[in-house]
Amino acid sequence: AQKITQTQPGMFVQEKEAVTLDCTYDTSDPSYGLFWYKQPSSGEMIFLIYQGSYDQQNATEGRYSLNFQKARKSANLVISASQLGDSAMYFCAMRELHGSGNTGKLIFGQGTTLQVKP
Amino acid sequence: DAGVTQSPTHLIKTRGQQVTLRCSPKSGHDTVSWYQQALGQGPQFIFQYYEEEERQRGNFPDRFSGHQFPNYSSELNVNALLLGDSALYLCASSPAQNYGYTFGSGTRLTVV
Protein backbone atom coordinates (compact mmCIF):
# COMPACT_ATOMS: atom_id res chain seq x y z
CA ALA A 1 0.00 0.00 0.00
CA GLN A 2 1.13 3.51 -0.70
CA LYS A 3 2.28 5.50 2.29
CA ILE A 4 3.75 8.90 3.12
CA THR A 5 5.87 9.42 6.23
CA GLN A 6 6.76 12.77 7.77
CA THR A 7 8.92 12.20 10.83
CA GLN A 8 9.17 15.78 12.09
CA PRO A 9 6.06 16.77 14.06
CA GLY A 10 7.42 20.28 14.63
CA MET A 11 10.27 22.43 13.36
CA PHE A 12 11.65 25.86 14.26
CA VAL A 13 13.64 28.10 11.93
CA GLN A 14 15.04 31.58 12.27
CA GLU A 15 13.66 34.19 9.90
CA LYS A 16 15.71 34.46 6.67
CA GLU A 17 17.31 31.06 7.14
CA ALA A 18 16.62 27.93 5.06
CA VAL A 19 14.77 24.89 6.40
CA THR A 20 14.27 21.33 5.13
CA LEU A 21 11.10 19.37 5.83
CA ASP A 22 11.45 15.62 5.43
CA CYS A 23 9.18 13.28 3.51
CA THR A 24 9.61 9.63 2.59
CA TYR A 25 7.19 7.61 0.55
CA ASP A 26 6.44 4.03 -0.27
CA THR A 27 4.89 2.80 -3.50
CA SER A 28 5.29 -0.05 -5.96
CA ASP A 29 3.82 2.01 -8.79
CA PRO A 30 6.53 3.25 -11.21
CA SER A 31 4.42 6.29 -12.09
CA TYR A 32 3.45 8.65 -9.30
CA GLY A 33 3.36 12.30 -8.31
CA LEU A 34 4.52 13.98 -5.14
CA PHE A 35 3.11 17.20 -3.74
CA TRP A 36 3.76 19.60 -0.92
CA TYR A 37 0.95 21.66 0.56
CA LYS A 38 0.91 24.44 3.15
CA GLN A 39 -2.01 24.66 5.55
CA PRO A 40 -2.29 27.84 7.60
CA SER A 41 -4.64 28.04 10.56
CA SER A 42 -7.46 29.07 8.21
CA GLY A 43 -7.58 25.47 6.98
CA GLU A 44 -7.13 25.86 3.23
CA MET A 45 -4.57 23.58 1.58
CA ILE A 46 -2.25 25.74 -0.51
CA PHE A 47 -0.32 23.99 -3.28
CA LEU A 48 3.43 24.65 -3.15
CA ILE A 49 5.27 22.31 -5.49
CA TYR A 50 4.92 19.13 -7.56
CA GLN A 51 7.41 16.45 -8.62
CA GLY A 52 6.61 13.72 -11.10
CA SER A 53 8.32 10.36 -10.74
CA TYR A 54 9.85 10.63 -14.21
CA ASP A 55 10.98 14.23 -13.89
CA GLN A 56 14.73 14.40 -14.40
CA GLN A 57 15.26 17.60 -12.48
CA ASN A 58 14.21 18.63 -9.00
CA ALA A 59 11.19 20.90 -9.00
CA THR A 60 11.53 24.53 -7.93
CA GLU A 61 8.89 27.21 -7.34
CA GLY A 62 10.27 30.51 -6.11
CA ARG A 63 11.60 29.98 -2.56
CA TYR A 64 10.46 26.34 -2.59
CA SER A 65 12.49 23.47 -3.97
CA LEU A 66 12.00 19.75 -3.76
CA ASN A 67 15.00 17.52 -3.09
CA PHE A 68 13.87 14.39 -4.92
CA GLN A 69 15.94 11.25 -4.28
CA LYS A 70 14.12 8.47 -6.09
CA ALA A 71 16.33 5.59 -4.96
CA ARG A 72 15.87 6.64 -1.34
CA LYS A 73 12.16 7.33 -1.90
CA SER A 74 12.45 10.75 -0.35
CA ALA A 75 11.00 14.09 -1.41
CA ASN A 76 12.15 16.73 1.03
CA LEU A 77 10.89 20.30 0.81
CA VAL A 78 13.46 23.08 1.12
CA ILE A 79 12.24 26.57 1.96
CA SER A 80 14.88 29.23 1.46
CA ALA A 81 14.94 32.63 3.17
CA SER A 82 12.13 31.80 5.64
CA GLN A 83 9.53 34.45 6.32
CA LEU A 84 7.20 34.87 9.30
CA GLY A 85 4.29 34.08 6.98
CA ASP A 86 5.75 30.62 6.35
CA SER A 87 4.61 29.53 9.82
CA ALA A 88 2.02 26.83 9.11
CA MET A 89 1.44 23.09 8.83
CA TYR A 90 3.13 21.45 5.84
CA PHE A 91 1.93 18.24 4.23
CA CYS A 92 3.64 15.91 1.81
CA ALA A 93 1.24 13.95 -0.41
CA MET A 94 1.38 11.36 -3.14
CA ARG A 95 -1.05 10.94 -5.99
CA GLU A 96 -2.37 7.46 -6.44
CA LEU A 97 -3.41 6.91 -10.03
CA HIS A 98 -6.73 5.23 -10.62
CA GLY A 99 -8.17 4.18 -13.92
CA SER A 100 -7.58 5.95 -17.16
CA GLY A 101 -8.10 9.65 -17.32
CA ASN A 102 -8.91 9.90 -13.65
CA THR A 103 -7.13 12.32 -11.40
CA GLY A 104 -6.68 9.85 -8.60
CA LYS A 105 -6.69 10.42 -4.86
CA LEU A 106 -4.04 12.04 -2.70
CA ILE A 107 -2.42 10.20 0.18
CA PHE A 108 -1.15 12.59 2.85
CA GLY A 109 1.47 12.34 5.54
CA GLN A 110 0.89 13.41 9.14
CA GLY A 111 2.30 16.86 8.55
CA THR A 112 5.04 19.04 10.04
CA THR A 113 4.33 22.24 11.95
CA LEU A 114 6.83 24.92 11.02
CA GLN A 115 7.35 27.97 13.22
CA VAL A 116 9.47 30.84 11.96
CA LYS A 117 11.11 32.91 14.69
CA PRO A 118 11.78 36.64 14.20
CA ASP B 1 -11.70 33.46 -10.99
CA ALA B 2 -13.25 31.88 -7.90
CA GLY B 3 -11.51 28.89 -6.41
CA VAL B 4 -13.24 26.08 -4.58
CA THR B 5 -16.13 27.25 -2.41
CA GLN B 6 -17.37 25.24 0.54
CA SER B 7 -20.40 25.84 2.74
CA PRO B 8 -21.04 26.18 5.55
CA THR B 9 -17.70 27.15 7.10
CA HIS B 10 -18.62 25.91 10.56
CA LEU B 11 -21.31 23.57 11.78
CA ILE B 12 -22.34 22.10 15.12
CA LYS B 13 -24.52 18.99 15.14
CA THR B 14 -25.80 16.59 17.75
CA ARG B 15 -24.81 12.94 17.79
CA GLY B 16 -27.23 10.87 15.67
CA GLN B 17 -28.18 13.75 13.38
CA GLN B 18 -27.50 14.02 9.67
CA VAL B 19 -25.45 16.69 7.92
CA THR B 20 -24.95 17.90 4.34
CA LEU B 21 -21.83 19.77 3.25
CA ARG B 22 -21.57 21.54 -0.08
CA CYS B 23 -18.76 22.23 -2.53
CA SER B 24 -18.56 24.30 -5.70
CA PRO B 25 -15.48 23.42 -7.76
CA LYS B 26 -13.11 25.82 -9.41
CA SER B 27 -14.21 26.98 -12.84
CA GLY B 28 -13.10 24.46 -15.47
CA HIS B 29 -12.77 21.59 -12.99
CA ASP B 30 -15.06 18.57 -13.33
CA THR B 31 -13.74 16.20 -10.66
CA VAL B 32 -14.49 16.65 -6.95
CA SER B 33 -12.87 14.82 -4.05
CA TRP B 34 -13.73 14.95 -0.36
CA TYR B 35 -11.29 14.55 2.52
CA GLN B 36 -11.70 14.31 6.28
CA GLN B 37 -9.01 15.88 8.44
CA ALA B 38 -9.07 15.15 12.16
CA LEU B 39 -7.29 17.61 14.43
CA GLY B 40 -3.52 17.31 14.14
CA GLN B 41 -3.71 14.70 11.37
CA GLY B 42 -3.30 14.61 7.63
CA PRO B 43 -6.41 14.56 5.42
CA GLN B 44 -7.96 11.17 4.68
CA PHE B 45 -9.62 10.50 1.33
CA ILE B 46 -13.37 9.88 1.54
CA PHE B 47 -14.43 9.62 -2.12
CA GLN B 48 -14.17 11.19 -5.54
CA TYR B 49 -16.87 12.12 -8.04
CA TYR B 50 -16.49 12.44 -11.78
CA GLU B 51 -19.27 12.59 -14.38
CA GLU B 52 -21.81 12.44 -11.53
CA GLU B 53 -20.58 9.04 -10.38
CA GLU B 54 -18.53 7.92 -7.42
CA ARG B 55 -15.26 6.77 -8.98
CA GLN B 56 -13.16 5.99 -5.94
CA ARG B 57 -13.88 5.50 -2.28
CA GLY B 58 -11.66 5.49 0.76
CA ASN B 59 -12.07 3.45 3.92
CA PHE B 60 -15.21 5.17 5.21
CA PRO B 61 -18.53 3.56 6.23
CA ASP B 62 -21.72 3.80 4.21
CA ARG B 63 -22.89 6.58 6.54
CA PHE B 64 -20.78 8.79 4.30
CA SER B 65 -22.41 9.37 0.93
CA GLY B 66 -22.16 11.95 -1.78
CA HIS B 67 -23.55 13.35 -4.94
CA GLN B 68 -22.31 15.34 -7.91
CA PHE B 69 -24.63 17.56 -9.90
CA PRO B 70 -24.54 18.34 -13.65
CA ASN B 71 -22.80 21.67 -12.89
CA TYR B 72 -20.01 19.65 -11.17
CA SER B 73 -20.86 20.89 -7.68
CA SER B 74 -21.00 18.23 -5.01
CA GLU B 75 -22.51 17.35 -1.65
CA LEU B 76 -21.19 15.19 1.16
CA ASN B 77 -23.81 13.64 3.43
CA VAL B 78 -23.09 12.02 6.74
CA ASN B 79 -25.84 10.11 8.55
CA ALA B 80 -26.07 9.03 12.19
CA LEU B 81 -23.30 11.36 13.27
CA LEU B 82 -20.77 10.13 15.81
CA LEU B 83 -18.52 12.20 18.04
CA GLY B 84 -15.59 10.87 16.01
CA ASP B 85 -16.96 12.53 12.88
CA SER B 86 -15.85 15.89 14.28
CA ALA B 87 -13.25 17.13 11.81
CA LEU B 88 -12.40 19.57 9.05
CA TYR B 89 -13.95 18.40 5.79
CA LEU B 90 -12.03 19.51 2.73
CA CYS B 91 -13.24 19.54 -0.84
CA ALA B 92 -10.74 19.47 -3.70
CA SER B 93 -11.50 19.93 -7.37
CA SER B 94 -9.40 19.10 -10.40
CA PRO B 95 -9.69 18.87 -14.14
CA ALA B 96 -9.80 15.32 -15.46
CA GLN B 97 -6.44 13.86 -16.48
CA ASN B 98 -4.55 16.57 -14.65
CA TYR B 99 -2.98 16.74 -11.22
CA GLY B 100 -4.03 20.34 -10.61
CA TYR B 101 -5.93 19.86 -7.35
CA THR B 102 -7.41 22.99 -5.77
CA PHE B 103 -8.68 22.83 -2.21
CA GLY B 104 -11.38 24.81 -0.48
CA SER B 105 -11.04 26.24 3.02
CA GLY B 106 -13.12 23.42 4.43
CA THR B 107 -16.13 22.95 6.68
CA ARG B 108 -15.35 22.52 10.34
CA LEU B 109 -17.89 20.04 11.76
CA THR B 110 -18.31 19.61 15.50
CA VAL B 111 -20.50 16.78 16.78
CA VAL B 112 -21.66 17.16 20.39
mmCIF file of all heavy atoms in Angstrom, chain A residues 65-81:
data_model
loop_
_atom_site.group_PDB
_atom_site.id
_atom_site.type_symbol
_atom_site.label_atom_id
_atom_site.label_comp_id
_atom_site.label_asym_id
_atom_site.label_seq_id
_atom_site.Cartn_x
_atom_site.Cartn_y
_atom_site.Cartn_z
ATOM 1 N N SER A 65 11.879 24.463 -3.097
ATOM 2 C CA SER A 65 12.487 23.471 -3.973
ATOM 3 C C SER A 65 12.277 22.102 -3.354
ATOM 4 O O SER A 65 12.095 21.961 -2.141
ATOM 5 C CB SER A 65 13.976 23.749 -4.183
ATOM 6 O OG SER A 65 14.667 23.719 -2.946
ATOM 7 N N LEU A 66 12.242 21.113 -4.211
ATOM 8 C CA LEU A 66 12.002 19.749 -3.765
ATOM 9 C C LEU A 66 13.261 18.942 -4.023
ATOM 10 O O LEU A 66 13.707 18.827 -5.164
ATOM 11 C CB LEU A 66 10.789 19.171 -4.515
ATOM 12 C CG LEU A 66 10.086 17.982 -3.869
ATOM 13 C CD1 LEU A 66 8.611 17.958 -4.263
ATOM 14 C CD2 LEU A 66 10.761 16.688 -4.269
ATOM 15 N N ASN A 67 13.813 18.377 -2.976
ATOM 16 C CA ASN A 67 15.002 17.522 -3.086
ATOM 17 C C ASN A 67 14.524 16.081 -3.278
ATOM 18 O O ASN A 67 14.215 15.370 -2.324
ATOM 19 C CB ASN A 67 15.844 17.655 -1.820
ATOM 20 C CG ASN A 67 17.142 16.868 -1.921
ATOM 21 O OD1 ASN A 67 17.420 16.235 -2.936
ATOM 22 N ND2 ASN A 67 17.938 16.909 -0.873
ATOM 23 N N PHE A 68 14.441 15.672 -4.537
ATOM 24 C CA PHE A 68 13.871 14.385 -4.917
ATOM 25 C C PHE A 68 14.980 13.357 -5.071
ATOM 26 O O PHE A 68 15.842 13.477 -5.945
ATOM 27 C CB PHE A 68 13.109 14.534 -6.230
ATOM 28 C CG PHE A 68 12.419 13.283 -6.713
ATOM 29 C CD1 PHE A 68 11.667 12.501 -5.860
ATOM 30 C CD2 PHE A 68 12.501 12.910 -8.054
ATOM 31 C CE1 PHE A 68 11.008 11.367 -6.316
ATOM 32 C CE2 PHE A 68 11.843 11.778 -8.520
ATOM 33 C CZ PHE A 68 11.104 11.005 -7.652
ATOM 34 N N GLN A 69 14.970 12.332 -4.199
ATOM 35 C CA GLN A 69 15.943 11.247 -4.285
ATOM 36 C C GLN A 69 15.154 9.953 -4.473
ATOM 37 O O GLN A 69 14.698 9.338 -3.491
ATOM 38 C CB GLN A 69 16.813 11.219 -3.028
ATOM 39 C CG GLN A 69 17.627 12.490 -2.854
ATOM 40 C CD GLN A 69 18.634 12.388 -1.722
ATOM 41 O OE1 GLN A 69 19.279 11.358 -1.530
ATOM 42 N NE2 GLN A 69 18.766 13.471 -0.958
ATOM 43 N N LYS A 70 15.008 9.576 -5.723
ATOM 44 C CA LYS A 70 14.121 8.474 -6.087
ATOM 45 C C LYS A 70 14.561 7.156 -5.473
ATOM 46 O O LYS A 70 13.722 6.380 -4.997
ATOM 47 C CB LYS A 70 14.070 8.364 -7.610
ATOM 48 C CG LYS A 70 12.908 7.561 -8.144
ATOM 49 C CD LYS A 70 12.806 7.732 -9.650
ATOM 50 C CE LYS A 70 11.612 6.989 -10.199
ATOM 51 N NZ LYS A 70 11.470 7.200 -11.667
ATOM 52 N N ALA A 71 15.842 6.872 -5.491
ATOM 53 C CA ALA A 71 16.329 5.593 -4.965
ATOM 54 C C ALA A 71 16.067 5.488 -3.466
ATOM 55 O O ALA A 71 15.809 4.410 -2.946
ATOM 56 C CB ALA A 71 17.816 5.446 -5.254
ATOM 57 N N ARG A 72 16.129 6.613 -2.779
ATOM 58 C CA ARG A 72 15.866 6.637 -1.335
ATOM 59 C C ARG A 72 14.389 6.811 -1.033
ATOM 60 O O ARG A 72 13.989 6.783 0.129
ATOM 61 C CB ARG A 72 16.625 7.791 -0.693
ATOM 62 C CG ARG A 72 18.107 7.616 -0.605
ATOM 63 C CD ARG A 72 18.714 8.790 0.153
ATOM 64 N NE ARG A 72 20.018 8.455 0.688
ATOM 65 C CZ ARG A 72 20.713 9.232 1.500
ATOM 66 N NH1 ARG A 72 20.214 10.405 1.860
ATOM 67 N NH2 ARG A 72 21.885 8.873 1.951
ATOM 68 N N LYS A 73 13.583 7.059 -2.058
ATOM 69 C CA LYS A 73 12.161 7.333 -1.902
ATOM 70 C C LYS A 73 11.934 8.487 -0.917
ATOM 71 O O LYS A 73 11.155 8.371 0.044
ATOM 72 C CB LYS A 73 11.401 6.079 -1.464
ATOM 73 C CG LYS A 73 11.394 4.999 -2.532
ATOM 74 C CD LYS A 73 10.463 3.855 -2.204
ATOM 75 C CE LYS A 73 10.383 2.880 -3.362
ATOM 76 N NZ LYS A 73 9.487 1.735 -3.084
ATOM 77 N N SER A 74 12.646 9.566 -1.179
ATOM 78 C CA SER A 74 12.451 10.746 -0.347
ATOM 79 C C SER A 74 12.173 11.955 -1.227
ATOM 80 O O SER A 74 12.645 12.045 -2.370
ATOM 81 C CB SER A 74 13.662 11.002 0.551
ATOM 82 O OG SER A 74 14.732 11.523 -0.185
ATOM 83 N N ALA A 75 11.405 12.872 -0.683
ATOM 84 C CA ALA A 75 11.001 14.090 -1.411
ATOM 85 C C ALA A 75 10.931 15.241 -0.419
ATOM 86 O O ALA A 75 9.848 15.702 -0.057
ATOM 87 C CB ALA A 75 9.653 13.865 -2.084
ATOM 88 N N ASN A 76 12.088 15.690 -0.004
ATOM 89 C CA ASN A 76 12.148 16.727 1.029
ATOM 90 C C ASN A 76 11.890 18.106 0.446
ATOM 91 O O ASN A 76 12.346 18.438 -0.647
ATOM 92 C CB ASN A 76 13.503 16.708 1.720
ATOM 93 C CG ASN A 76 13.774 15.400 2.420
ATOM 94 O OD1 ASN A 76 12.853 14.650 2.750
ATOM 95 N ND2 ASN A 76 15.045 15.114 2.652
ATOM 96 N N LEU A 77 11.185 18.918 1.215
ATOM 97 C CA LEU A 77 10.893 20.303 0.812
ATOM 98 C C LEU A 77 11.927 21.231 1.441
ATOM 99 O O LEU A 77 12.167 21.171 2.651
ATOM 100 C CB LEU A 77 9.496 20.713 1.268
ATOM 101 C CG LEU A 77 9.104 22.172 0.994
ATOM 102 C CD1 LEU A 77 8.902 22.400 -0.502
ATOM 103 C CD2 LEU A 77 7.837 22.547 1.772
ATOM 104 N N VAL A 78 12.517 22.076 0.619
ATOM 105 C CA VAL A 78 13.455 23.080 1.116
ATOM 106 C C VAL A 78 12.826 24.453 0.933
ATOM 107 O O VAL A 78 12.426 24.814 -0.180
ATOM 108 C CB VAL A 78 14.811 23.010 0.377
ATOM 109 C CG1 VAL A 78 15.756 24.071 0.928
ATOM 110 C CG2 VAL A 78 15.424 21.623 0.510
ATOM 111 N N ILE A 79 12.734 25.187 2.019
ATOM 112 C CA ILE A 79 12.241 26.568 1.960
ATOM 113 C C ILE A 79 13.429 27.478 2.228
ATOM 114 O O ILE A 79 14.074 27.386 3.292
ATOM 115 C CB ILE A 79 11.144 26.836 3.007
ATOM 116 C CG1 ILE A 79 9.996 25.832 2.866
ATOM 117 C CG2 ILE A 79 10.605 28.261 2.866
ATOM 118 C CD1 ILE A 79 8.931 25.949 3.962
ATOM 119 N N SER A 80 13.745 28.325 1.278
ATOM 120 C CA SER A 80 14.876 29.228 1.460
ATOM 121 C C SER A 80 14.380 30.569 1.990
ATOM 122 O O SER A 80 13.216 30.932 1.814
ATOM 123 C CB SER A 80 15.609 29.434 0.133
ATOM 124 O OG SER A 80 14.737 30.049 -0.805
ATOM 125 N N ALA A 81 15.254 31.286 2.678
ATOM 126 C CA ALA A 81 14.937 32.634 3.174
ATOM 127 C C ALA A 81 13.569 32.679 3.852
ATOM 128 O O ALA A 81 12.647 33.374 3.419
ATOM 129 C CB ALA A 81 14.994 33.641 2.031
#
